[in-house]
Structures are given as C-alpha cells and as structure tokens.
Amino acid sequence: MALNHLSLLRPLLCQSLVRQARCPLVATSRIGAAPLFPSTTCSPAACTRLYATKKAKAKAKGQSAKVNINSTLVEDIISLDEVKEDMTAVLKALKDDFTRNLSIRTSPGALDHIVVTTQDGKFPLNQLGQISMKSPQLIMVNMSSFPEATAAATRALKESSMNLNPEVDGTIIKVPVPKVTREHRENLAKLAKQFSNKAKDSLRKVRSNAVAQTKRAKEGNSEDMIRLVEKQIQQMADNIAMDIDKQFEAKTKELLG
C-alpha cells in the first residue's frame, strides 16, 4: 500500500523539482536573498532592450527623415517647382561666375563676359570691340566701332578680377596676358570663396521668402501640412547648399592645383 502511495507522489515531486530548477531567482527571493541587480528594477533582458531603444532613438534623432511632397498637392500653398527653379538659378549663377571670373588661362574668349558701363547702358565687351589674340602674351581689343566707349572698356578691364593691366593706343586696347603666379592663384581661390558665400546668401533669401509665403497660407491648411512644406523647402535648400560646396571645392582644387 505504501508503495502505491509513493508511485502516486513521484510525478508530483518531479514536477515540483522541475519548477524550482526553472525558477531559481523566484525560489531564492522567497528566503530573502539579495537581488542580483539591486540598483535597478528591471531584469537584465529588459535593461538591454531599454538601452537598445534609447540608442536607436538617439540615432534616429540625428537623421532627419526625407520629405518628398507632390508639388501638385500643395499648389494652393506654394509652387515648389518655382522655388526649385529659383534655387537652381542661384547655383547656375555661381557656375557662371566661376567660369567668367576665375579662369587661369587668358584667351580672347575670357574677356567676352566683361561688362562695360557706358552712357547708353551696360554691354559685354565683345559687343563693343573686336577681341583678338595678337600673341600668346598679348590680347588686342579694337574699339574703332565704338571709340567713345574706349575709356569705359579700359576701366572695366582694370576693375575685373583677372589681374589685367590694359594699355590704350588710340582706339586699340592692348591687354598683356598676366603670368599665372602662386599669389594670383590664391587670390582667385579667395574670390571663389566670396562667390560661394554670395550664392549661399542668395539661397537663404529664396528659402526665407518661400517659408514666409508658406506661413501665410496657414488659414485653410493643417499645421502638419504647413510643417511638411517648410521641411521640403529646407531640404531643397540643403541640397543646393551641398552642390554649392561641391562647386567651390572643385574650383579651389583647380585653381590651387
């Protein structure tokens, strides 16, 4: 009879031992044992998950989500296409400034862009005079078609950023080709920085005007939509600003060698 009782109790005892083996922390806590992590109220796994979550949030905070709004959906707020055109125009103007004013090699075509201010208005030099290369060291500008603009053309050549020292012989302007010195290269690099800063100022004005226009459209539009449009405008400006920096870095490398 006793053997029968033992055979019936054996499964219950085994189950009890298994439960104690699986939950040692619970069993020890009942007899007043010190917790393994006295300074925190969470288990090791929970603490690890919490740390990982905070780390992920911190990483996400430094990375702003990209916005890509369909311009047709916000036409009643602002024309994003026009804003993009205005910002792109700033970048194009910078490229033109680099091409016209920061050329190391002097050639007849390098003088075409020089603007001459006359009593009748402003005109490119190549519309007032015939430019030709007399020799590798000398450029000639024949002003016989507009002799009255000779003085103004000479002044424009001197005031250009090309380090020119023109000489006048009647209606002929002689322009010696300057030697490309290290100092001249460094001066051109400084000028490139000025052009880049000017482009960024223009870009900021475009962005500010676009944001101001967006804010004026708050009535009739949700605050979330207004914020999204503002974020899109800022994102567009940031992209152009990066392109400006790339243009400046490439030009500086070209100038300094």
Side-chain angles (χ1 to χ4, degrees):
M1 188 71 174
L3 291 174
N4 292 334
H5 283 301
L6 287 175
S7 61
L8 292 173
L9 290 174
R10 187 177 291 112
L12 296 176
L13 290 172
C14 292
Q15 291 176 8
S16 177
L17 290 174
V18 169
R19 280 197 298 268
Q20 290 183 18
R22 288 179 178 176
C23 307
L25 289 178
V26 176
T28 55
S29 65
R30 289 176 180 173
I31 62 174
L36 295 179
F37 296 90
S39 61
T40 181
T41 57
C42 62
S43 66
C47 291
T48 303
R49 287 195 298 270
L50 180 62
Y51 175 74
T53 301
K54 288 183 177 180
K55 188 175 181 181
K57 287 182 177 179
K59 184 177 180 181
K61 186 176 180 181
Q63 297 176 349
S64 57
K66 296 294 183 180
V67 178
N68 189 12
I69 300 176
N70 189 331
S71 59
T72 58
L73 298 178
V74 294
E75 287 181 345
D76 59 327
I77 299 176
I78 193 172
S79 174
L80 291 176
D81 291 336
E82 290 183 3
V83 174
K84 184 177 181 179
E85 288 178 4
D86 292 341
M87 291 183 177
T88 304
V90 171
L91 181 63
K92 184 179 182 302
L94 175 66
K95 292 179 180 179
D96 291 342
D97 283 335
F98 281 176
T99 302
R100 291 193 301 247
N101 300 306
L102 303 180
S103 176
I104 295 178
R105 301 188 178 206
T106 305
S107 63
L111 304 183
D112 290 349
H113 73 280
I114 293 180
V115 178
V116 181
T117 303
T118 68
Q119 294 180 349
D120 298 324
K122 296 182 178 181
F123 303 92
L125 180 61
N126 62 354
Q127 291 185 10
L128 301 176
Q130 182 179 358
I131 306 174
S132 60
M133 202 83 180
K134 184 71 174 178
S135 70
Q137 292 78 34
L138 183 65
I139 298 177
M140 306 283 283
V141 183
N142 189 337
M143 298 294 297
S144 57
S145 298
F146 297 94
E148 67 278 8
T150 302
T154 304
R155 183 169 56 253
L157 288 165
K158 287 182 178 180
E159 293 176 353
S160 71
S161 60
M162 300 180 67
N163 194 31
L164 302 177
N165 188 25
E167 302 173 359
V168 180
D169 183 8
T171 57
I172 302 295
I173 303 176
K174 299 178 181 179
V175 186
V177 177
K179 293 182 179 180
V180 182
T181 62
R182 184 66 185 178
E183 181 182 3
H184 181 51
R185 288 176 178 269
E186 291 175 353
N187 288 335
L188 291 178
K190 291 178 182 178
L191 192 57
K193 183 64 175 178
Q194 294 177 13
F195 283 133
S196 298
N197 290 338
K198 179 183 175 183
K200 287 186 176 181
D201 287 340
S202 300
L203 179 63
R204 280 190 287 269
K205 289 180 181 178
V206 174
R207 178 188 58 78
S208 297
N209 291 337
V211 171
Q213 181 180 343
T214 301
K215 290 183 181 297
R216 289 194 295 268
K218 282 186 176 181
E219 185 175 353
N221 293 282
S222 67
E223 292 184 3
D224 289 341
M225 178 58 73
I226 295 298
R227 282 195 294 268
L228 280 175
V229 174
E230 290 177 357
K231 193 170 183 179
Q232 176 79 71
I233 293 170
Q234 182 63 55
Q235 184 173 294
M236 293 162 62
D238 290 342
N239 290 338
I240 296 296
M242 286 191 292
D243 288 338
I244 289 175
D245 289 337
K246 289 178 182 178
Q247 290 293 323
F248 168 66
E249 291 172 3
K251 195 64 181 180
T252 301
K253 185 177 180 179
E254 173 192 334
L255 293 172
L256 297 180

